[in-house]
């Protein structure tokens, strides 16, 4: 076992530390966040910090770092109140990664990265057509974390589009979903099994 | 494509909805959270809602649902100010899952589930010996989300124990890390590739 103390971490070169600390939370599911501005400019950005917040009401959240390119997404969410989270299959991870380039606000990552923009009536955010699981959410609340001004955005699930239905127990499984660690390292995953409810027996 | 509206979701049977909504955020890395009470009772609990919050200072967080068995963990964190997050390899997922059983407060999941308790000087939380990547954090802040009383706990990284060192760029990679979706469905993952920084070129 190697041991890195707080001092060792503080003394790392800045970019190495950023990659290393980001890697500690593991390879998390890649999502494409779809939004549109009040003026009609669409935006699509890759995220891997999506969270389950609660089932009733159905709530999901994601973490937005302060003052990055993702500000386009943030501004759009505050303008329209809507956003979509779209699962990235392994077949799409290179196009999804390209959305992290710094495109001008008026240029859409949908067109630039070959992603299909889909809409549903009464919902002001674009879904990603190639995604097998597309989720439409309405903004509920945001929290700015005092410790470093990171923002937690929470939305309520209003639409789910899926290539397969959930099974009788509510599980929904996509093989070859792409996960991403440290913003640039991609993984694919394979199902092992669903375990029974764990019980304590004396 | 199937479409589920907000009404369809609201009308789902309660347990099916809980599983389905939890599945929407995908299969996320499984972590064992290690804590100890002021009185010396250790606790170990499985979580899959661990987040990267920032690299400088090095911050990670996790989501704690309101009033569940994980209250032991919460009480311990507030008593000692310390907790550990330990990656679960695929070889350990069945033992890790068993920690979700409702053990009495005085009974340690470490002993009950065959997990090795390790300590480092000056840090009041147990690490999981079988984990290839063990992270020790000091509590920084908590946020109770008004929408449903879920709690976001944030800590600063003070110790990292790893079976392998980070590479020159800071990446650290563990094959066969276990991911979990909907609290009971386990996955393993495989590395695809690290992509270069995405650029916009006119």
């Amino acid at each position: 076992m190697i041991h890195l103390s707080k001092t060792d971490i503080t003394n790392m070169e800045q970019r190495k530390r950023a990659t290393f600390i980001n890697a500690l939370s593991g390879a998390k599911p890649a999502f494409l966040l779809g939004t549109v501005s009040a003026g009609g400019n669409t935006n699509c950005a890759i995220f891997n910090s999506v969270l389950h917040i609660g089932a009733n009401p159905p709530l999901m959240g994601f973490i937005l770092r302060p003052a990055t390119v993702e500000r386009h997404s943030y501004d759009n969410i505050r303008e329209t109140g809507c956003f979509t989270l779209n699962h990235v299959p392994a077949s799409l991870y290179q196009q999804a990664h390209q959305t992290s380039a710094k495109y001008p606000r008026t240029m859409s990552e949908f067109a630039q990265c070959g992603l299909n923009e889909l809409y549903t009536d009464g919902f002001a955010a674009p879904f990603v057509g190639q995604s097998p699981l597309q989720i439409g959410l309405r903004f509920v609340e945001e929290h700015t974390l005092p410790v470093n001004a990171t923002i937690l955005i929470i939305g309520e699930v209003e639409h789910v589009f899926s290539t397969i239905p959930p099974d009788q127990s509510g599980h929904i499984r996509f093989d070859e979903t792409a996960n991403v660690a440290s913003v640039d390292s991609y993984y694919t995953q394979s199902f092992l099994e669903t375990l029974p409810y764990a019980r304590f027996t004396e």
Side-chain angles (χ1 to χ4, degrees), chain A residues 21-90:
Chain A
I21 296 298
N22 205 326
L24 295 180
S25 49
K28 298 173 290 293
F31 283 89
L32 285 167
L33 174 72
T35 57
V36 61
S37 70
N41 289 317
T42 58
N43 189 279
C44 193
I46 189 164
F47 277 81
N48 77 336
S49 58
V50 172
L51 283 173
H52 171 66
I53 300 290
N56 189 19
L59 299 168
M60 297 172 71
F62 69 95
I63 291 281
L64 200 64
R65 266 163 291 170
T68 68
V69 289
E70 288 101 24
R71 278 292 175 187
H72 299 174
S73 303
Y74 177 80
D75 294 343
N76 292 348
I77 292 169
R78 297 316 310 265
E79 282 174 28
T80 65
C82 293
F83 59 103
T84 69
L85 289 169
N86 306 272
H87 277 239
V88 174

Side-chain angles (χ1 to χ4, degrees), chain A residues 155-181:
Chain A
E156 182 168 352
V157 178
E158 293 207 344
H159 296 283
V160 177
F161 293 93
S162 175
T163 52
I164 54 171
D167 69 15
Q168 287 200 325
S169 61
H171 291 96
I172 190 160
R173 173 154 79 82
F174 294 96
D175 292 317
E176 300 189 20
T177 292
N179 282 12
V180 60

Side-chain angles (χ1 to χ4, degrees), chain A residues 84-104:
Chain A
T84 69
L85 289 169
N86 306 272
H87 277 239
V88 174
S91 57
L92 202 66
Y93 77 92
Q94 286 149 320
Q95 285 163 267
H97 183 71
Q98 184 58 32
T99 64
S100 62
K102 290 182 175 58
Y103 292 102

